[in-house]
Amino acid sequence: MSRLLFSAGVLLMAGSALAQPTPATPARPLRTAPATAPVMGRVTDAATGGALPGATIVFPDLRQASTTDADGTFRFANLPSGRFLMQVRFLGYTTVVRTVDTGAGQPLEVALTPAATEIGQVVVTGVSASTEMRRSPIPTSVVDQTRLRQAAATNAVDAIAHTPGLNQITTGAAISKPVIRGLGANRVITLNNGAKQEGQQWGDEHGIEIDEYSIDRAEIIKGPGSLLYGSDGLAGVINFLPAEPVEDGRIIGSVAANYQTNNYQQGYSVMNAGNLNGFNWLVRGSGKVAADYRNRYDGRVYNSGFRELNGSGYVGLNKNWGYTHLTFNSFNQTLGLIEGERDSVSGRFVRTTRQGDEELVHGSGFSGYGLDVPRQQINHLRLGLDNNLVLGRHRLTLNVGWQQNLRREFGNPLDYDEKSLFFQLHTVDYALRWFLPELNGWHTTAGVSGMQQQNRNKGVEFLIPAYRLLDGGVFAVTKKSFGKLDLSGGLRYDIRRINADALYLDGDELPVPAGFGEEKFPGFKSTFRSVSGSAGGAYNISEKWLVKANVARGFRAPNIAELGSNGVHEGTTRYELGEPALKPETSFQLDGGVAFTSEHVGLTVDVFRNRISNYIFPRRIAAANGSDSLSTDGDRVFRYGQGDARLAGGEVSLDLHPHPLDWLHFENSFSMVRAIEFDQPEGQQHLPFIPADRLQSELRVNFRKVGRSRLHNLYARATVEHNFAQNRIFSAFDTETRTPGYTLVNAGVGTDVVSRKDRTLFSVYLAASNLFDVAYQNHLSRLKYTALNYAAGRAGVFNMGRSLSVKLVVPLSFK
C-alpha cells in the first residue's frame, strides 16, 4: 500500500508540474475562492420570448440548484468563482447545458426551445466531472425522476430494469440484481450517490441495499468502469442519485404513498429538505410491506413477502468555497426465501412446521404480512463525508465512508430465530480527486481511491471464510474539445490484497483451534494487480448526427466465494469449491454508436464487443469413472476455474414524435447479447444466464396543460414488452434450461393536480403491469430452478401476474 500511495504522490506532483504556468509568469498560490457577486439570469421560451417560471437551474459539480420566479429570473448568492457546468431544464423543453464563468458578473440569458426528446442530459458517473451526455464517448443511459415515478416497481433495480441493455436477476419480488449486457454480480459496480455500495455482491440471492424512494434518478454506464472505481466495474456502473439540494431560502417536503394489488404491497415515504443561507439538509424515512405475490399457474407463491424500513439523508454547508456534506443511509429488509416445494398430488405448496412435520399450506399461510423460514434479514448502514473544495483555479473532492452490512439467513424451522448464516461486513472507502486547472484546453483530473474491508462469519453454517481486504488505486483522466470533436481517456493502476482465515470444525460443526478438527477453509493470501485504461471520442457531425467510439480495458479481482468457498451454494443445488490461485479477469471492450435527432425522429444505435480473459466460472469435478463427483450429502461438486470468453451485441432505440404533434411519442428499443466461452465442449460454449433478446414498444401521450383545467403534465402510456425465447444456454450439468418467449402488456396514466395559482397540490400515478395476467418465467429468474411441481408437470415458480398500482405524491412547502 505504501508503494501505491507513493505512486499516487508521484502522479499528483506530475500533474501539478503540468499545471504550472510558464517561467515568465509568477506562480499563483492556492487560495480559497473569493466571494463573488450573485449569479443571476433569466430563462425564456426561445420561440415566444416569454418567461418560463419553475425552470430548474443546476450546477452539478457544486451541488447547488435554483428555480426561476414568475418572471423567469433566478439567483445564486454563494457560488464559488470559476468555470462550472450549468444545466437548465424545463419539462417539455430541450435541456440546455453550458459552461459558465461564475465570476464574470454578467447576467445569464437562457432561451429554451420546445422539444420532444431529451438530448442534453448531464451525467456524473464514469467521468472526471459533470459532462454533457452527448460529449461522452462512453454509452450511458439516464432514468429520470419522471420515469421512476411512473414505474410500478417492487425494488430499486426493478424500477430501472426496462432500460435498453439492462436486465435483472430476480428471486421473487424483493431481490433484484442488475445485469449490464449479460454480466452481473461482482462485474457491476453499484453506487449510492457516487459511493461504492459494498454488501455481499457475490451471492445471486443478495439484492441491492438501496431504498427505492430515495432515488431521484439513475445513471447507467454500459462498459468497463474500472477507470474511476477500480475492480468490479467490468460490465459497467449504476449510480443511484438522490434529489438535488434545495435552492437557498426554501424549506420543502413531500409525502408519498403507493399500493399494489397483486401482493398487497404498501409503501410510504416522508421527506423534508431545506437550505437556509447555505446550511442545507435532507432527511427521508420510508417503509414497505408486501404479502405473497400471485400468478396464474402457482396461485399465491408461499413465503414471497417482504418488509422494509429505511432512512437516508444529509446535512451540510454550501458556500463560496464549495461544500461539505455528512450523509447517512440505513436500509433494513426482511424477506422470505422461496423454496417452491409442493405436494405431489394436489400441487399445493408445503411447509415444515416447528415440530418438524410437513404440511400443506392452507389459506392462513398466505394471509397477512407474516414471513416463514427460510428468510433473510439485511441491515446496511453507511455514514459518509463528502467534501468539495474550490481553491483558486483548483478543485479538490474527498469522499470518505464507513459501511456495515449485516446479512442473516434463518433456515431452521425448528428454531425460528436461529441464524444459519450471519455475515458481518465492515468497509471503509475513500476517494480523493484533484481537478487541475485547464491547460491548453485539456481538463485533467488525478486521484486515488480504495477501501479496507473485513468480513466475519457469525452464524452456525459457513459458506465462505472470514477475510480482510485492502485495495487502492491511482488514476488520471483527461478530456478536450476540438470544435465538434470531444476526446477523453485515462489510465489507472490498482492493487488488491485478500487475506482469508483458516477454519477448523469439530464433529458438531463448531469452530475449534487449528489442528483439533477437520479443515473447512484453508487460510490463504492473494494479491491482484492490474492496469485499466480508456480512450474514446464523440464527434458531432451536425446538430442532428453524432458518432461515438470508445476502447476500454477493465478488470475484476476474484471474489471471496470464487477464491475460498467450500459448501453448498444457496440456490445452485451444487457443492462449490473455491480456487485461491485464480487470476483477475481482464476485459478489452470496443464500443461504437451513432445517434440521429430531429424534430420528428430520434434514433440511437450502440454496439459492443467485449473479450474477457481469465473469465471465472464453475467447472464440474468428475469421479474416477467419469461420473459426477458427489459430496457427502449427494450434491454434485464444482470447482471454480477460468477460460476466455466473448460477449457482443448492442441496443437500438427509435423514438417517433411527429411534429407538430409533440405530445405524441412512439418509443421502441431492441437489446441483444451473444456470449460464448472458447474451447469448451458441447453444451458449455454459451455463458450461463445471459438475458434473452428483448423488444419494447411504448405509445405515450403527454400534455403540459389540459385546457383550462387544473390538470398539468397529464400522460397516458401503453407498453408492449416481448422477450424472445432463450435457447443459447449452458445446458451441461443441468445448469440452465431453455426459456420460451412471452409478451407482456403494461399501461399507465397520471397527472399533476394544481391550484388556481399553478402550484402543484398532488400528483397521482396509476399503472397496470402484466395487464393480461400472462404466466411466464423470465430467463434470469432464479425461481425458475426451484422444485418441480409434479402435479402440474411444470418446473419452478413463475413470475408475478397482473398487478395494479396507485401512487400518490404530495409536495409540501414550508418556506
Side-chain angles (χ1 to χ4, degrees):
M1 190 65 184
S2 59
R3 286 183 294 175
L4 177 62
L5 294 176
F6 175 75
S7 300
V10 170
L11 179 57
L12 295 178
M13 287 188 291
S16 177
L18 287 174
Q20 293 298 319
T22 60
T25 303
R28 289 186 291 180
L30 293 180
R31 56 186 176 89
T32 302
T36 62
V39 175
M40 297 180 292
R42 188 167 185 261
V43 181
T44 59
D45 185 310
T48 65
L52 292 179
T56 301
I57 302 91
V58 183
F59 286 85
D61 289 328
L62 301 176
R63 299 257 179 109
Q64 294 213 38
S66 182
T67 56
T68 54
D69 295 330
D71 59 354
T73 60
F74 63 90
R75 182 178 185 273
F76 290 88
N78 279 314
L79 289 183
S81 178
R83 291 173 57 81
F84 302 100
L85 205 67
M86 181 184 73
Q87 179 191 37
V88 182
R89 61 176 185 263
F90 191 68
L91 189 64
Y93 287 76
T94 299
T95 298
V96 167
V97 178
R98 67 172 62 167
T99 299
V100 172
D101 185 350
T102 58
Q106 298 295 323
L108 303 173
E109 296 290 336
V110 182
L112 302 184
T113 57
T117 181
E118 289 291 328
I119 61 173
Q121 289 279 4
V122 170
V123 296
V124 296
T125 304
V127 291
S128 61
S130 297
T131 301
E132 190 177 352
M133 192 160 65
R134 286 176 61 89
R135 296 182 176 273
S136 174
I138 305 172
T140 306
S141 299
V142 176
V143 182
D144 61 18
Q145 184 190 71
T146 300
R147 282 288 185 173
L148 290 171
R149 286 188 173 182
Q150 294 177 7
T154 58
N155 57 70
V157 175
D158 193 29
I160 64 173
H162 294 284
T163 304
L166 179 69
N167 298 85
Q168 55 181 334
I169 293 178
T170 62
T171 310
I175 300 176
S176 293
K177 295 178 71 70
V179 174
I180 297 178
R181 290 176 166 178
L183 299 175
N186 280 87
R187 298 180 177 100
V188 174
I189 289 177
T190 302
L191 304 176
N192 190 349
N193 194 19
K196 289 179 72 172
Q197 185 85 356
E198 288 294 324
Q200 307 285 347
Q201 298 100 310
W202 53 269
D204 288 340
E205 71 282 9
H206 301 161
I208 302 300
E209 305 93 347
I210 295 178
D211 176 20
E212 175 193 353
Y213 287 102
S214 69
I215 304 168
D216 185 70
R217 70 185 188 278
E219 300 166 348
I220 301 105
I221 283 193
K222 294 172 282 189
S226 302
L227 190 58
L228 291 183
Y229 305 106
S231 176
D232 298 355
L234 208 67
V237 178
I238 300 178
N239 192 6
F240 293 103
L241 293 162
E244 294 153 347
V246 180
E247 66 178 304
D248 195 9
R250 292 198 63 194
I251 300 176
I252 65 170
S254 70
V255 177
N258 174 235
Y259 180 77
Q260 299 185 29
T261 59
N262 186 288
N263 58 349
Y264 312 130
Q265 177 176 317
Q266 302 177 46
Y268 306 95
S269 185
V270 178
M271 182 272 290
N272 174 254
N275 186 343
L276 299 178
N277 194 28
F279 175 76
N280 53 79
W281 70 91
L282 183 150
V283 60
R284 178 182 294 276
S286 303
K288 277 185 189 178
V289 62
D292 298 331
Y293 77 83
R294 63 159 295 278
N295 61 60
R296 180 183 294 178
Y297 282 171
D298 300 309
R300 291 282 170 194
V301 177
Y302 177 61
N303 207 32
S304 60
F306 64 94
R307 53 180 178 262
E308 290 181 18
L309 185 62
N310 309 315
S312 61
Y314 69 88
V315 60
L317 290 174
N318 283 52
K319 294 294 185 178
N320 60 9
W321 44 261
Y323 65 81
T324 180
H325 290 169
L326 177 65
T327 66
F328 73 95
N329 291 272
S330 177
F331 178 90
N332 306 276
Q333 182 187 65
T334 304
L335 58 109
L337 294 175
I338 305 163
E339 294 185 316
E341 296 288 345
R342 277 168 277 208
D343 178 66
S344 60
V345 177
S346 66
R348 293 169 59 181
F349 287 96
V350 297
R351 66 183 293 269
T352 302
T353 68
R354 298 192 181 188
Q355 290 72 41
D357 301 321
E358 189 175 271
E359 68 175 10
L360 292 176
V361 177
H362 297 285
S364 60
F366 297 111
S367 63
Y369 296 97
L371 300 174
D372 209 338
V373 293
R375 73 186 191 282
Q376 279 187 0
Q377 180 181 338
I378 301 99
N379 304 98
H380 189 96
L381 175 64
R382 185 181 193 277
L383 300 176
L385 187 62
D386 297 346
N387 301 282
N388 184 355
L389 304 177
V390 179
L391 306 171
R393 297 169 58 224
H394 300 253
R395 185 162 65 94
L396 289 174
T397 63
L398 174 62
N399 302 320
V400 181
W402 174 86
Q403 301 179 59
Q404 176 178 261
N405 184 276
L406 304 179
R407 185 172 294 273
R408 307 170 181 90
E409 184 172 313
F410 304 84
N412 184 1
L414 306 182
D415 187 349
Y416 188 80
D417 296 316
E418 180 186 82
K419 303 174 184 66
S420 300
L421 294 175
F422 187 175
F423 301 121
Q424 182 189 64
L425 178 66
H426 286 154
T427 303
V428 176
D429 59 273
Y430 65 91
L432 172 66
R433 297 179 185 178
W434 177 17
F435 299 82
L436 280 73
E438 179 181 342
L439 181 64
N440 296 326
W442 290 97
H443 298 267
T444 303
T445 304
V448 294
S449 64
M451 65 180 176
Q452 181 176 346
Q453 236 176 35
Q454 182 179 33
N455 200 16
R456 299 173 59 194
N457 286 314
K458 303 182 70 174
V460 299
E461 297 179 4
F462 308 92
L463 296 182
I464 59 172
Y467 70 91
R468 292 170 300 284
L469 180 150
L470 181 67
D471 80 357
V474 55
F475 64 90
V477 294
T478 189
K479 60 182 180 180
K480 183 177 181 178
S481 297
F482 299 86
K484 296 182 178 181
L485 176 64
D486 298 282
L487 296 180
S488 62
L491 288 172
R492 180 186 177 103
Y493 174 77
D494 276 279
I495 182 171
R496 169 173 289 189
R497 293 192 177 101
I498 297 179
N499 189 345
D501 297 337
L503 178 66
Y504 293 83
L505 302 177
D506 62 14
D508 295 323
E509 297 297 302
L510 296 176
V512 296
F516 288 88
E518 182 180 354
E519 184 182 69
K520 176 68 173 180
F521 301 118
F524 65 86
K525 297 180 180 180
S526 297
T527 301
F528 307 100
R529 296 178 174 86
S530 187
V531 175
S532 306
S534 177
Y539 184 68
N540 288 272
I541 301 174
S542 65
E543 291 185 358
K544 295 182 178 181
W545 285 97
L546 170 71
V547 293
K548 295 183 178 184
N550 195 71
V551 57
R553 184 183 191 272
F555 93 103
R556 180 183 77 91
N559 63 46
I560 189 61
E562 295 161 341
L563 292 169
S565 60
N566 183 9
V568 177
H569 194 161
E570 176 69 27
T572 63
T573 65
R574 65 191 181 208
Y575 196 98
E576 295 185 0
L577 294 173
E579 175 52 66
L582 291 175
K583 299 177 181 178
E585 295 178 342
T586 58
S587 70
F588 184 79
Q589 179 161 322
L590 299 173
D591 282 282
V594 59
F596 172 78
T597 305
S598 73
E599 61 181 359
H600 303 291
V601 178
L603 173 66
T604 303
V605 180
D606 291 309
V607 295
F608 75 97
R609 184 182 185 275
N610 190 5
R611 174 68 182 262
I612 302 178
S613 301
N614 301 319
Y615 182 85
I616 300 173
F617 63 98
R619 302 174 188 259
R620 178 181 65 111
I621 297 179
N625 60 4
S627 63
D628 286 340
S629 179
L630 301 178
S631 69
T632 55
D633 295 327
D635 297 302
R636 290 173 300 172
V637 180
F638 287 71
R639 182 183 294 276
Y640 281 98
Q642 297 188 284
D644 294 332
R646 184 187 69 216
L647 296 93
E651 304 85 40
V652 179
S653 298
L654 176 64
D655 179 12
L656 304 177
H657 40 86
H659 187 74
L661 306 180
D662 294 333
W663 48 268
L664 178 65
H665 297 254
F666 183 45
E667 299 180 356
N668 306 269
S669 68
F670 176 74
S671 308
M672 62 169 286
V673 179
R674 299 291 182 268
I676 63 171
E677 195 170 334
F678 298 110
D679 304 321
Q680 294 297 313
E682 183 70 24
Q684 302 180 49
Q685 303 98 328
H686 299 290
L687 295 186
F689 303 110
I690 299 299
D693 298 345
R694 184 175 67 187
L695 176 65
Q696 299 178 107
S697 296
E698 177 177 282
L699 184 64
R700 188 176 78 253
V701 295
N702 294 86
F703 299 98
R704 289 188 56 216
K705 292 184 179 181
V706 182
R708 296 184 178 181
S709 73
R710 297 187 183 180
L711 302 182
H712 287 193
N713 304 321
L714 175 68
Y715 76 91
R717 61 183 177 88
T719 305
V720 177
E721 175 190 335
H722 180 71
N723 286 262
F724 292 81
Q726 180 57 291
N727 297 315
R728 301 175 180 87
I729 62 172
F730 191 98
S731 59
F733 324 126
D734 298 326
T735 300
E736 274 191 297
T737 58
R738 301 176 188 274
T739 304
Y742 60 89
T743 302
L744 304 178
V745 177
N746 309 313
V749 62
T751 187
D752 298 333
V753 178
V754 302
S755 66
R756 292 180 178 179
K757 296 182 179 180
D758 287 345
R759 183 176 65 87
T760 300
L761 300 176
F762 63 89
S763 303
V764 62
Y765 308 88
L766 303 175
S769 303
N770 193 1
L771 193 59
F772 296 105
D773 202 23
V774 174
Y776 72 98
Q777 289 177 319
N778 185 278
H779 186 67
L780 299 185
S781 170
R782 294 180 64 253
L783 299 184
K784 184 171 178 274
Y785 299 96
T786 55
L788 174 67
N789 184 349
Y790 290 97
R794 292 186 289 262
V797 173
F798 282 68
N799 288 75
M800 186 181 290
R802 177 172 50 241
S803 184
L804 303 179
S805 168
V806 57
K807 187 181 299 183
L808 181 69
V809 180
V810 181
L812 305 173
S813 181
F814 302 100
K815 183 177 180 180

